[in-house]
Amino acid sequence: MNVGKEFDIEVKIEDDPKPSISKKKPRRVAVGKAFDAKATIGPASPESQDATTRTQIVWFVFAMGAIFLFGATLLGLREGQFGALGSVWSVVGPAYGGIAAYFFNAHRKR
């Protein structure tokens, strides 16, 4: 693993009659030194598995709600009555509100 990257640096020396460093030639400088490092990845913790499961459930609920809302909107546009959209929104709206309240709660511990 390398720490740091090479980059170009230009040095300007003022008021020096015989500069030891050329003013026009850029220098290549490496910040840090290379060293060997090993990383191991262990099994996932139960907390991360729970978080992954919750995230998948939320995305499923969100996607299904969006599909049903889209379908009810198309049905309303076709028939001219949007009663089905209101019915779907009465179920999907609170679910979306619960998701937003959980994920955007300012007082939740992180």
Side-chain angles (χ1 to χ4, degrees):
M1 179 188 306
N2 289 329
V3 177
K5 296 180 181 178
E6 292 183 351
F7 62 93
D8 292 330
I9 187 169
E10 189 173 328
V11 178
K12 293 182 181 180
I13 301 173
E14 297 177 8
D15 299 332
D16 190 0
K18 282 182 92 181
S20 59
I21 299 175
S22 173
K23 292 181 183 181
K24 295 181 181 180
K25 186 176 178 183
R27 302 287 180 197
R28 303 285 296 170
V29 178
V31 177
K33 296 179 181 179
F35 63 91
D36 292 331
K38 293 181 182 179
T40 58
I41 299 174
S45 66
E47 292 86 15
S48 67
Q49 290 176 346
D50 289 345
T52 302
T53 302
R54 281 193 302 270
T55 302
Q56 289 173 346
I57 291 170
V58 165
W59 276 109
F60 177 76
V61 168
F62 187 78
M64 291 305 294
I67 290 169
F68 282 116
L69 284 171
F70 185 70
T73 303
L74 290 179
L75 182 64
L77 288 172
R78 190 175 127 219
E79 295 182 0
Q81 294 185 1
F82 292 91
L85 180 61
S87 297
V88 171
W89 181 250
S90 68
V91 174
V92 173
Y96 281 6
I99 290 169
Y102 179 78
F103 282 103
F104 300 108
N105 185 359
H107 301 291
R108 192 178 87 188
K109 291 182 180 179
R110 295 183 194 254

